[in-house]
Amino acid sequence: MRKYRIGYERIDITPWESVPLAGAGDSSRRMSKCIRSRLYASCFAITDEADTTVILMTLDLQRADYTTCGIVIPMISKMTGVPEENILISGTHTHAGPDLFNKDHPAIKRYAEVLYQRLTLCAALAMTDRKEADVYIGQVEAERFNF
């Protein structure tokens, strides 16, 4: 058994206005029209016995692109004190979210500004939420898997 401190936060990252949607060709032709499902960022902050912290974040976006990660990871690091190399951001690959690669679109520019702040806040809140947790690491037998 190992002692960890683990925190979790989930924050809404749904656009508040019509934005170009990711995937399936020219995103400037696929604009959002309504909200059927909210989009979220989920974040775990995990600190081990040696006081090393990792931040794991997933976004309900098509991808965590280089621009977003290049801006948000340093912001999170500065706010939390967690080294940049200990922060991982990934996307769920939804085609029902904003196309962050369409950087010149005015709605994406407005969305990205708010998104970066919300992702940084999500990580900071996960850090604040950390509580003692016992983690058991071991081996288990698995049956009936197709490989």
Side-chain angles (χ1 to χ4, degrees):
M1 176 177 61
R2 296 182 184 171
K3 299 277 185 193
Y4 287 84
R5 286 179 290 142
I6 301 174
Y8 174 77
E9 185 59 51
R10 182 176 183 225
I11 199 162
D12 193 320
I13 59 169
T14 308
W16 58 92
E17 65 179 309
S18 180
V19 294
L21 294 173
D26 182 6
S27 70
S28 61
R29 296 177 190 211
R30 290 186 61 232
M31 299 291 291
S32 62
K33 296 181 179 148
C34 65
I35 297 171
R36 291 196 181 130
S37 298
R38 312 261 350 139
L39 302 176
Y40 293 94
S42 298
C43 183
F44 279 100
I46 304 166
T47 304
D48 67 10
E49 295 167 326
D51 209 33
T52 299
T53 300
V54 295
I55 291 177
L56 309 174
M57 182 180 288
T58 185
L59 314 176
D60 286 339
L61 299 175
Q62 186 180 25
R63 64 183 70 84
D65 65 295
Y66 289 116
T67 301
T68 300
C69 290
I71 293 170
V72 173
I73 288 174
M75 290 171 66
I76 291 172
S77 180
K78 183 177 180 182
M79 180 173 274
T80 63
V82 175
E84 291 183 22
E85 60 271 15
N86 290 9
I87 301 169
L88 174 70
I89 303 175
S90 67
T92 60
H93 198 84
T94 181
H95 285 235
D99 180 10
L100 294 177
F101 275 119
N102 197 339
K103 294 172 183 48
D104 294 329
H105 194 283
I108 291 296
K109 285 181 179 182
R110 288 187 295 274
Y111 175 72
E113 286 179 22
V114 174
L115 176 69
Y116 302 155
Q117 298 298 323
R118 295 196 59 77
L119 298 181
T120 304
L121 175 64
C122 188
L125 291 172
M127 288 288 288
T128 302
D129 183 62
R130 286 176 299 165
K131 296 172 184 63
E132 294 291 327
D134 294 332
V135 177
Y136 297 88
I137 299 174
Q139 295 181 346
V140 296
E141 288 189 29
E143 296 180 15
R144 295 186 211 152
F145 279 97
N146 290 328
F147 292 98

